[in-house]
Amino acid sequence: MGIHLVSVGAGEWSGEHDDDEEEVGYGPRAAALNDALRDRGLPPFTSVPEEAPFVRGSGLAFEEKLVPPMDGFVALCEEHLSAAETDLLCGWTLLVPMSLDEEIRLPVASRYTDETMVAGAPQVLALAERLAAAVELPSAVPATSDNLDLTTWFRDGPAKDLAATRPGPWADDLDTAFYVALYLRAAQFVLRRGSPVAYS
């Protein structure tokens, strides 16, 4: 249970393997996105990789659980980003591996919202990198998120021990650092793998 951020494979994206628990599967969102892209003179987004077999640390899938409170992260965004940038970073419900000058709002419900807000991973990555620099996010943060790697590292793993030996802005609020890492790694994954990431 709870809110997860997950990668979407080709079968789900096309609507062939829609999750029965979702009110609206990914197929309608994919079709609406392609219509919106065509309206903007952009090519459709069709080259989604198939879901890969699970191999821990492979970086071929993305799954994290949004457990900690976000208050500190939102405050960090407000301190270092403009209101529009904060809305972009925190407001998307679908992240895609293409550059978008502005977010695209689709009149298709996602699991938690009445519409789908699509953001481009290059734009989200640039914002997340600014926050990572601001909190001096350590390189020891897991680079992959195949199976709750970030969630485990921050909540049950070595984050607290590292914070004691390597203090810094990141160590002052591990919940905030988790979300910085989450958005950073999500954008990096989308660009590396070419797979969209969505809330589930």
Side-chain angles (χ1 to χ4, degrees):
M1 298 296 291
I3 300 175
H4 288 73
L5 199 57
V6 299
S7 52
V8 182
E12 288 181 295
W13 186 248
S14 68
E16 293 176 9
H17 305 141
D18 276 347
D19 183 348
D20 292 336
E21 294 181 1
E22 286 195 308
E23 293 182 6
V24 178
Y26 294 108
R29 281 174 264 182
L33 174 59
N34 285 336
D35 288 343
L37 291 172
R38 290 188 191 96
D39 289 344
R40 290 162 172 77
L42 299 171
F45 175 46
T46 56
S47 58
V48 178
E50 292 287 350
E51 183 176 352
F54 173 71
V55 178
R56 185 176 297 280
S58 68
L60 297 178
F62 191 98
E63 180 183 4
E64 293 293 349
K65 186 174 183 179
L66 281 66
V67 179
M70 293 189 73
D71 297 354
F73 177 70
V74 172
L76 179 73
C77 290
E78 292 173 347
E79 180 182 355
H80 293 279
L81 305 176
S82 69
E85 290 170 335
T86 298
D87 288 344
L88 176 63
L89 181 62
C90 300
W92 59 265
T93 54
L94 179 64
L95 191 62
V96 294
M98 61 185 66
S99 183
L100 298 174
D101 292 338
E102 59 183 13
E103 68 272 18
I104 298 175
R105 295 184 182 274
L106 306 175
V108 180
S110 61
R111 188 157 192 171
Y112 300 102
T113 58
D114 293 333
E115 64 178 5
T116 298
M117 178 177 158
V118 184
Q123 286 73 29
V124 169
L125 177 60
L127 298 175
E129 286 176 337
R130 283 165 56 186
L131 297 183
V135 301
E136 300 174 15
L137 195 70
S139 59
V141 171
T144 59
S145 296
D146 300 276
N147 185 26
L148 308 179
D149 295 341
L150 291 175
T151 304
T152 301
W153 192 85
F154 275 96
R155 295 192 64 82
D156 306 312
K160 291 182 176 65
D161 291 338
L162 183 62
T165 59
R166 186 175 171 183
W170 80 277
D172 296 338
D173 186 342
L174 293 181
D175 289 346
T176 295
F178 166 78
Y179 284 106
V180 172
L182 177 74
Y183 285 101
L184 178 70
R185 297 303 189 224
Q188 290 172 336
F189 168 83
V190 170
L191 291 172
R192 180 180 69 249
R193 176 72 170 149
S195 173
V197 164
Y199 288 91
S200 176

